[in-house]
Amino acid sequence: MARRAQTGSSRLSRGLLLLWALLGTGLCHVGAEAEGFGQDARTSPPVAVFNWTAQLVEETYTNITQKCWEFFVDLMRNVTASELCEWKVISRPYSLLQSCLEGWADHLRYGYPNALAEQYIFQSHHRYFHNCTLEHQVYFDPPEDVLLAMIIAPICLIPFLVTLVIWRSKDGKAQP
């Protein structure tokens, strides 16, 4: 009989532990207003309860993004150093990393883009793609003083050339 009482006590403690876990994780709605407990119960200030759901979602997303990163690193092991800057080769692992980060954020309703996802994207660029340069040279606008000189020089040269043509045509001699 003592054994049976111990089993009942064990079930009770497991049930309390489960209830405590559910209340602690926010799965049970503690803040819901109880009907029929009188005016004092409805007007008393709510008990401060920490919302564990947001923290659990963030922790879960952190763990999942770590797995996304590990999968990306594993895929990048198959890419040689000479192929690191070829988009045809790296587009699949890079796209899988991005879709993994974005997909799990959407699934967990965490919000995307977020700081953690950006950290992994920057980390991938820093680790794998920092030596990639463009094949074609990119042209930038010159500094303003050079640009201004390039615009003003032809404008000032035009009146000088027009004056020179008119002055040479007044000579009256036919040019061959």
Side-chain angles (χ1 to χ4, degrees), residues 58 61-62 65-66 69 97 101-102 105 110-124:
E58 185 172 349
Y61 185 69
T62 302
T65 55
Q66 179 64 33
W69 173 253
L97 173 66
L101 296 171
E102 186 175 359
Y110 188 67
Y112 187 87
N114 55 58
L116 191 58
E118 287 180 4
Q119 178 184 350
Y120 281 114
I121 296 294
F122 285 134
Q123 187 176 348
S124 71

Side-chain angles (χ1 to χ4, degrees), residues 15-155:
L16 288 175
L17 182 61
L18 180 62
L19 179 63
W20 177 77
L22 290 174
L23 290 175
T25 58
L27 294 176
C28 288
H29 298 285
V30 177
E33 198 171 301
E35 297 280 335
F37 281 100
Q39 184 66 23
D40 291 338
R42 285 191 299 257
T43 58
S44 62
V47 178
V49 177
F50 184 75
N51 186 5
W52 286 96
T53 23
Q55 185 178 0
L56 283 177
V57 166
E58 185 172 349
E59 186 177 321
T60 303
Y61 185 69
T62 302
N63 293 335
I64 290 173
T65 55
Q66 179 64 33
K67 297 297 181 193
C68 293
W69 173 253
E70 290 169 3
F71 181 65
F72 173 73
V73 169
D74 189 47
L75 289 175
M76 291 302 288
R77 283 190 186 118
N78 299 327
V79 178
T80 64
S82 62
E83 296 175 327
L84 278 178
C85 297
E86 293 181 32
W87 180 246
K88 290 178 182 178
V89 176
I90 63 167
S91 66
R92 183 175 177 264
Y94 189 82
S95 297
L96 287 174
L97 173 66
Q98 182 182 0
S99 65
C100 182
L101 296 171
E102 186 175 359
W104 278 105
D106 289 343
H107 180 72
L108 295 171
R109 294 190 173 110
Y110 188 67
Y112 187 87
N114 55 58
L116 191 58
E118 287 180 4
Q119 178 184 350
Y120 281 114
I121 296 294
F122 285 134
Q123 187 176 348
S124 71
H125 283 259
H126 180 71
R127 185 171 175 179
Y128 294 103
F129 314 123
H130 67 280
N131 286 331
C132 295
T133 57
L134 296 175
E135 292 178 15
H136 304 288
Q137 186 176 3
V138 178
Y139 297 106
F140 296 102
D141 288 337
E144 284 188 33
D145 54 344
V146 174
L147 186 63
L148 189 61
M150 291 173 68
I151 293 171
I152 291 179
I155 292 173

